[in-house]
Amino acid sequence: MSRVHGPWFALPVGLFLAAFFAAPIVIVAWYSLMPPRTFELSGALTTANYRAAFGEGYERPLMWSALGAALTTLVCALLAWPTATILHRSAGRWAGVVTALIALPIFISESVRLFGMSLFLMPGGGILAGTLNALFEVRVGSILNSRLGALVGLVYIHFPFMLFPLLLGVAMVPADRIEAARDLGAGRLAVFREVELPLAAPGLSIGCLLTFVLALGANAEAAILGGRAVTVITAAIEQRFNYAQDWPMGAALTVLVIAVTAAVVFPVLARVPLDRIIRR
Amino acid sequence: MSRSGPLPFLRAAWIVAILACLYLPIVSVVLASLANSRYMRFPHRVWTLDAYREAVGFFQTWDLHLISLQIAAGVVALSVALGTLGAMAYARYDWRGRGLFRRLLVLPVFFPQPVLGLALLLSFTAAGVVPSWKTVVIAHAVWIVPIVTLVISIRLFGYDVAQEEAAFDLGATRLQVFREVTLPALWPGIFSGALFAFLLSWSNLPLSIYTSGPDTPLPVWLFSRVATNYAPLVPAIAVIGTIVSALVVLGLVGLRGALARLR
């Protein structure tokens, strides 16, 4: 009986995502093959937009976005690993409160949080600079409107997306396995490399994947905290769509981002037992 | 636990530092809203609630809230309806295409949101659909429906199908089984799914920014005012928006508790 019901229950979600997730990707891919600066979907197919993307220097924003996403992933992983192990090992009452406190900001709009970050970092009269000046008469510079500022914003926004999958991953490491390795004479590094890292790998992979993919398309961090220091790929696509009114070119850039995403997502998801993590 | 690890003090200090970093920007917004000058010069010479008085009397504040609320309500309805059905296919029934369904379902979550927003904008425009709050509902749902489906599925993994069979054996009709057995088991998952949907929609910027057209939701307005035309009014509205979302969540939780007591 249940074999017959399954597909029917899957159908509404399936149709919805086919219409508003799969179809838009196909439409964008089709647009990317249309002659430059046209708005029709019936033109002759051409690869001119892709050639122009690399001829007109759009590989730079793409590279900045990829580099920013990679650095964000790395920094988030380095910050989240100790946090996750501490929270896991001291699974007392306060660990639950701390976990909830870390989750809470996800539900506050990123425009509010990035705005707060810029108020905090603002040179001269910002919260940090103003306080230091008033209390200690120290004048400090600011990382606002620089590449570093954009990176700090990216790490700030994406940290929870790394932490929560990693918490599930760290929970998959049995404590007695670590004890056993220690008893057998393994040092801290050996325990980390031979026991903790491989057993927590599914959670770490999902955290890295989520962080990388979300940071790859991120735009607001660079806009609010990076100033004009860096143009990310999403800003470049938006510029092509809106101001240049060149849909096929914007579509070609979008396809390039989707290609990078797919190249990262499919191999990782194929290897990681997502169901096992979700079931926990 | 193990005594060979770093000192407990160091661990506590690390956690406190992480929490401080996460909350400093949020505290900064609150601090900035308590000024009355158009230029941010902290510490303020005058500490005042003027900006809140102005925000409450400003018609656009409530316009923005109404649009965000409208969008979130649409997203909650759509994603709970689709997510409940989807969760049955994800976790309750065992069918031939389930492995593929599970793999495809999570793809929108692992997709850059602004890119999805831009792809939807292009598709809507090509199809002659004018962007409005309704297109934002669709855009949010593409990302939120899979999440709600997973949230409800987690509940269903612990669900014992034998209960349904027992009810059938005792002579219950299909509708009775659904109302008396399946729905109560699903309900906690549906409720958390609805909360997730509301909060994720209310706070979303990257999808709204490209698909909202003339109907500006709160986060998009804040984003546009951060860059230009700063005044303490902006952080004040940011604080009000966050409080309103917290009140809605508290209201829903309270309503659920009251309903449970009535039963």
Side-chain angles (χ1 to χ4, degrees):
Chain A
M1 178 181 100
S2 58
R3 290 193 166 269
V4 190
H5 286 311
W8 289 108
F9 280 100
L11 195 65
V13 184
L15 285 178
F16 180 78
L17 293 181
F20 299 110
F21 182 60
I25 294 177
V26 173
I27 292 174
V28 165
W30 187 260
Y31 253 118
S32 74
L33 299 171
M34 290 293 109
R37 291 176 193 281
T38 53
F39 298 94
E40 303 299 321
L41 280 164
S42 50
L45 297 182
T46 167
T47 56
N49 301 303
Y50 290 98
R51 272 180 276 127
F54 290 100
E56 289 173 25
Y58 279 102
E59 70 278 0
R60 281 187 71 85
L62 191 60
M63 193 199 71
W64 277 126
S65 284
L67 184 68
L71 281 174
T72 305
T73 310
L74 181 69
V75 175
C76 281
L78 291 177
L79 291 174
W81 182 275
T83 314
T85 46
I86 293 171
L87 287 178
H88 176 63
R89 282 180 202 166
S90 43
R93 197 176 302 149
W94 65 266
V97 174
V98 170
T99 312
L101 281 176
I102 294 175
L104 206 58
I106 302 179
F107 300 115
I108 297 174
S109 181
E110 70 181 66
S111 40
V112 175
R113 287 182 289 151
L114 289 170
F115 179 32
M117 192 74 134
S118 84
L119 291 168
F120 181 73
L121 294 174
M122 215 174 260
I127 305 284
L128 176 67
T131 308
L132 289 178
N133 190 27
L135 291 181
F136 311 112
E137 298 196 7
V138 179
R139 285 178 189 281
V140 289
S142 171
I143 57 165
L144 198 64
N145 299 328
S146 69
R147 282 172 201 156
L148 183 61
L151 182 66
V152 168
L154 281 168
V155 170
Y156 172 57
I157 293 294
H158 296 96
F159 175 74
F161 295 106
M162 176 68 83
L163 181 71
F164 287 102
L166 193 56
L167 267 177
L168 294 173
V170 168
M172 289 165 91
V173 185
D176 52 4
R177 207 67 79 82
I178 299 173
E179 294 285 315
R182 288 231 177 104
D183 290 345
L184 292 171
R188 288 194 70 73
L189 193 66
V191 170
F192 171 73
R193 233 182 37 207
E194 309 285 333
V195 182
E196 289 182 290
L197 202 54
L199 285 172
L204 183 62
S205 316
I206 293 297
C208 287
L209 187 61
L210 206 51
T211 307
F212 182 84
V213 166
L214 293 177
L216 181 67
N219 184 19
E221 291 82 357
I224 295 179
L225 300 170
R228 287 165 198 273
V230 56
T231 304
V232 293
I233 190 65
T234 307
I237 298 174
E238 187 193 357
Q239 200 270 340
R240 278 283 113 184
F241 275 152
N242 287 345
Y243 304 106
Q245 288 286 313
D246 189 355
W247 290 10
M249 178 74 175
L253 296 174
T254 309
V255 170
L256 290 177
V257 183
I258 296 175
V260 174
T261 307
V264 183
V265 167
F266 285 117
V268 177
L269 280 190
R271 253 170 243 155
V272 177
L274 200 59
D275 296 341
R276 236 181 62 218
I277 305 176
I278 290 168
R279 265 168 193 272
R280 296 185 68 91
Chain B
M1 259 295 304
S2 61
R3 297 282 110 207
S4 57
L7 295 164
F9 169 76
L10 265 177
R11 289 190 215 161
W14 176 267
I15 295 293
V16 170
I18 292 278
L19 284 177
C21 288
L22 285 176
Y23 281 88
L24 268 176
I26 298 165
V27 173
S28 299
V29 174
V30 178
L31 289 176
S33 69
L34 301 172
N36 66 352
S37 82
R38 290 187 65 84
Y39 299 98
M40 178 71 184
R41 188 171 292 154
F42 195 79
H44 311 311
R45 214 159 290 154
V46 186
W47 295 77
T48 164
L49 288 173
D50 281 357
Y52 287 89
R53 242 167 265 136
E54 194 191 338
V56 170
F58 183 39
F59 78 96
Q60 204 181 1
T61 309
W62 306 112
D63 247 21
L64 297 166
H65 278 79
L66 220 58
I67 290 172
S68 278
L69 211 56
Q70 214 171 355
I71 293 169
V75 172
V76 168
L78 192 59
S79 55
V80 162
L82 292 176
T84 307
L85 297 172
M88 299 288 273
Y90 191 100
R92 161 75 175 76
Y93 294 115
D94 188 11
W95 49 293
R96 243 174 41 158
R98 185 166 77 163
L100 185 66
F101 175 67
R102 285 183 174 178
R103 280 176 187 282
L104 293 180
L105 181 76
V106 294
L107 290 182
V109 180
F110 294 98
F111 198 85
Q113 287 187 45
V115 175
L116 176 61
L118 285 165
L120 278 167
L121 173 66
L122 187 68
S123 308
F124 283 135
T125 317
V129 177
V130 181
S132 70
W133 68 272
K134 291 175 208 153
T135 50
V136 186
V137 171
I138 300 277
H140 284 188
V142 172
W143 181 60
I144 294 174
V145 163
I147 295 175
V148 172
T149 307
L150 291 179
V151 168
I152 301 176
S153 295
I154 291 169
R155 272 274 150 186
L156 269 179
F157 277 126
Y159 177 65
D160 188 4
V161 186
Q163 290 179 337
E164 271 180 28
E165 281 156 14
F168 277 125
D169 289 346
L170 292 171
T173 64
R174 184 164 288 249
L175 187 70
Q176 272 178 317
V177 170
F178 182 74
R179 235 184 36 206
E180 306 285 330
V181 182
T182 317
L183 200 59
L186 276 175
W187 180 236
I190 294 178
F191 185 76
S192 351
L195 284 190
F196 264 87
F198 172 79
L199 286 166
L200 291 175
S201 166
W202 183 272
S203 63
N204 187 283
L205 172 71
L207 288 166
S208 311
I209 200 166
Y210 300 118
T211 51
S212 57
D215 296 341
T216 312
L218 203 49
V220 175
W221 183 83
L222 288 172
F223 179 70
S224 68
R225 286 293 296 261
V226 169
T228 56
N229 224 345
Y230 173 81
L233 176 73
V234 182
I237 291 182
V239 173
I240 293 174
T242 307
I243 293 173
V244 167
S245 80
L247 287 178
V248 170
V249 170
L250 286 178
L252 287 174
V253 171
L255 193 68
R256 187 186 171 214
L259 281 177
R261 249 172 280 127
L262 270 180
R263 254 187 231 141

